[in-house]
């Protein structure tokens, strides 16, 4: 069997490409380099928010050249709808202590910010040395809470996006690019 570049044969006929694979790759490498420099003396634990952030994390950590650790949290804020409820539930918690450690939260997209605010407040009670945020996408036009984002891949418009980890009702996470879908395309 021969392994080579995979081409997305069926473009799913859903949405328009907002960010190509190449654009994402270049930006992720830049973010990884900045993170490597900023934390050179004291590598952080990257806390990934499942499931949307998992594709970004997988690429980001390979662009970082200091000995970081990773851990996961799964929270639920969306159900299967496309609107944030502001109600956040921890489905899966970290497997290690973050006390005295630098924490870098890795997110797919910050929308209203409710999910992230909840996570930050929760992690702060565990006394980390610092908490910073790295998000691939920032839909800042819809922000409802005040947040300081330290590393941002792309600022995106107020449209629903899928691919590269981001889902629509749990599907399309495996698209290699990020596509934007119009309201009337959402089933
Ligand atoms: P927030 O609490 O409104 O900031 O919602 C954040 C979470 O909702 C993100 O981490 C995503 O998992 C999900 N989300 C927000 N916008 C989108 C989108 O356009 N596509 C897919 N998931 C999204
Ligand atoms: Mg998320």
């Amino acid at each position: 069997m021969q392994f080579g570049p995979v081409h997305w044969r069926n473009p799913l006929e859903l949405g328009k490409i907002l960010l190509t694979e190449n654009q994402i790759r270049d930006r992720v490498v830049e973010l990884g380099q900045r993170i490597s420099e900023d934390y050179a003396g004291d590598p952080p634990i990257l806390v990934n928010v499942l499931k949307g952030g998992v594709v970004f994390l997988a690429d980001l950590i390979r662009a970082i050249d200091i000995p970081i650790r990773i851990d996961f949290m799964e929270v639920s804020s969306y159900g299967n709808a496309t609107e944030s409820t502001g109600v956040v539930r921890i489905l899966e918690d970290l497997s290690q202590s973050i006390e005295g450690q630098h924490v870098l939260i890795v997110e797919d997209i910050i929308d209203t910010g409710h999910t992230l605010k909840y996570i930050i407040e929760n992690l702060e009670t565990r006394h980390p040395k610092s908490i910073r945020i790295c998000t691939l996408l920032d839909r800042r036009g819809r922000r409802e809470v005040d947040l300081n984002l330290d590393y941002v891949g792309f600022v995106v418009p107020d449209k629903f996006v899928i691919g590269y980890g981001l889902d629509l009702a749990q599907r399309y996470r495996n698209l290699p690019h990020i596509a934007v879908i119009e309201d009337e395309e959402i089933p």
Side-chain angles (χ1 to χ4, degrees), residues 96-121:
Q96 58 199 302
S97 166
I98 56 169
E99 191 174 344
Q101 310 292 313
H102 289 302
V103 169
L104 181 61
I105 299 174
V106 178
E107 261 280 26
D108 51 354
I109 184 167
I110 315 294
D111 188 44
T112 64
H114 288 295
T115 310
L116 186 62
K117 184 163 185 279
Y118 177 89
I119 293 171
I120 292 170
E121 283 171 1

Side-chain angles (χ1 to χ4, degrees), residues 34-77:
R34 270 182 52 207
I35 291 167
S36 304
E37 287 162 19
D38 292 354
Y39 288 98
D42 197 352
I45 300 180
L46 273 58
V47 169
N48 189 223
V49 184
L50 295 168
K51 309 180 179 78
V54 75
V55 179
F56 177 40
L57 180 85
D59 285 344
L60 182 67
I61 59 175
R62 285 174 290 176
I64 295 176
D65 60 8
I66 56 172
I68 49 97
R69 284 179 286 167
I70 62 172
D71 208 338
F72 297 93
M73 262 179 115
E74 182 166 12
V75 300
S76 144
S77 62

Side-chain angles (χ1 to χ4, degrees), residues 1-186:
M1 185 169 176
Q2 214 190 327
F3 292 93
V6 176
H7 296 285
W8 194 263
R9 286 190 203 86
N10 173 7
L12 300 174
E13 288 153 34
L14 189 63
K16 287 196 202 78
I17 293 184
L18 179 69
L19 297 166
T20 65
E21 278 186 83
N22 283 339
Q23 285 174 310
I24 297 170
R25 187 181 313 115
D26 290 349
R27 189 69 181 130
V28 169
V29 166
E30 285 173 14
L31 291 174
Q33 285 169 351
R34 270 182 52 207
I35 291 167
S36 304
E37 287 162 19
D38 292 354
Y39 288 98
D42 197 352
I45 300 180
L46 273 58
V47 169
N48 189 223
V49 184
L50 295 168
K51 309 180 179 78
V54 75
V55 179
F56 177 40
L57 180 85
D59 285 344
L60 182 67
I61 59 175
R62 285 174 290 176
I64 295 176
D65 60 8
I66 56 172
I68 49 97
R69 284 179 286 167
I70 62 172
D71 208 338
F72 297 93
M73 262 179 115
E74 182 166 12
V75 300
S76 144
S77 62
Y78 258 66
N80 278 343
T82 56
E83 289 293 316
S84 186
T85 56
V87 179
V88 180
R89 232 163 26 104
I90 294 189
L91 303 178
E92 192 69 48
D93 206 349
L94 302 178
S95 69
Q96 58 199 302
S97 166
I98 56 169
E99 191 174 344
Q101 310 292 313
H102 289 302
V103 169
L104 181 61
I105 299 174
V106 178
E107 261 280 26
D108 51 354
I109 184 167
I110 315 294
D111 188 44
T112 64
H114 288 295
T115 310
L116 186 62
K117 184 163 185 279
Y118 177 89
I119 293 171
I120 292 170
E121 283 171 1
N122 182 288
L123 295 182
E124 267 167 358
T125 66
R126 310 180 198 192
H127 308 295
K129 195 185 276 180
S130 71
I131 300 181
R132 284 189 187 170
I133 317 301
C134 175
T135 186
L136 180 67
L137 307 179
D138 175 9
R139 193 189 288 122
R140 56 180 64 159
R142 280 178 37 104
R143 197 62 36 79
E144 288 173 12
V145 299
D146 202 21
L147 285 173
N148 180 36
L149 306 184
D150 303 281
Y151 305 93
V152 174
F154 304 93
V155 175
V156 292
D158 186 3
K159 296 257 167 82
F160 200 78
V161 289
I162 54 172
Y164 199 73
L166 290 136
D167 71 304
L168 172 62
Q170 301 301 330
R171 295 189 200 278
Y172 307 104
R173 296 190 195 277
N174 53 326
L175 281 173
H177 55 259
I178 291 174
V180 59
I181 50 181
E182 303 295 335
D183 287 348
E184 54 275 15
E185 289 180 283
I186 297 174

